[in-house]
Amino acid sequence: MSSAEGLPLIHSGFVSVVGRPNVGKSTLVNRLVGQKVAIVSDKPQTTRNRILAVVHRPGGQIVLFDTPGIHKPMHRMNERMVDAAVKSVGQVDVVLWVVDVTEAYGPGDRHVRDVLRQSKKPVVLGINKIDSVPKQKILPAIEQYRHLMDFAEVIPLSARTGENVDLVEAKLLQHLPAGDRLYPEDYLTDQPERFFVAEMVREQVLRLTREEIPYTTGVLIDSFKEDGPLVRIQATILVEREGQKKIVVGKQGQMIKAIGTAARLDLEEYLERRVYLELFVRVQEEWTKKPSLFREFGL
């Protein structure tokens, strides 16, 4: 298809990536963009902020909103996260609903479905993690979800391996409106550099402390100074209890050292410079219930 001037017709627009916590939304966004714009963890509710990321292709431009998982909020921070995800649905041209084929359809999915039905937006359903189940289980899952609502597309995929992600991209572009590109070719995300620095430190806290530290851990960047070829960063890891601080610090400081080493390697790759990273741990009781602190985390 081409425009009246004979030029190839391109499609550009906004897509909100939604779903329950821990279904692989951020992994899929990173895969579509082609580089890391969101941290990934096997802990639910890892993503807290709505992250805008742009996919540039010859056929157009997909502006993705990676959103926090839609779930029943347990405290004020959760409420803010879920509100951001739900509001994003009303701001886009198409919704990409990601579900986990390894998890049974339940109340959380029904809530997402109801939100999407009310929005009346075109919905592409991505049935993720097909690499984790036998192939004979995929078709029944497709049939189960297909009847929930009038989907624009239903696509089984694996964000981890990349299977069918190119098809997701093609179908999203197809359902976006025809029009000019919305962002310059070199534009990637709306989040500042410090946001990604904090997120990369938090990712290592979640990865290395495993089940011992809840997702309510936060990271604040206290100092970010460029010193010639070196970037000097000081960051504070926020926890809610003294016992959590002991876990993050670890015996003779071994855990905080491991977190710092892993985060520094990621940061040096991201910033393409040498990094000196100094980490601190602070107890701030029930900080997830204090909206005055949310702004420090960009929530």
Side-chain angles (χ1 to χ4, degrees), residues 192-202 218-225 231-237 267 277-280 296-297:
E193 198 168 56
R194 286 188 175 215
F195 169 81
F196 290 108
V197 171
E199 287 288 89
M200 287 180 181
V201 174
R202 186 166 68 93
V219 176
L220 297 172
I221 303 302
D222 304 313
S223 176
F224 185 103
K225 296 179 179 178
V231 179
R232 297 182 182 273
I233 301 170
Q234 291 182 327
T236 296
I237 300 169
L267 290 170
L277 177 63
E278 190 173 10
L279 297 178
F280 307 92
E296 296 186 63
F297 296 95

Side-chain angles (χ1 to χ4, degrees), residues 41-88:
S41 166
D42 57 5
K43 292 187 178 182
Q45 299 160 39
T46 299
T47 300
R48 291 178 179 160
N49 305 68
R50 188 230 65 184
I51 299 171
L52 181 150
V54 184
V55 180
H56 301 276
R57 293 294 182 267
Q61 202 172 67
I62 307 171
V63 184
L64 298 169
F65 288 155
D66 183 20
T67 65
I70 297 177
H71 59 283
K72 182 178 180 180
M74 303 301 291
H75 45 63
R76 294 293 295 277
M77 185 179 74
N78 278 136
E79 290 176 2
R80 189 75 63 90
M81 290 161 56
V82 173
D83 187 54
V86 172
K87 281 185 175 178
S88 75

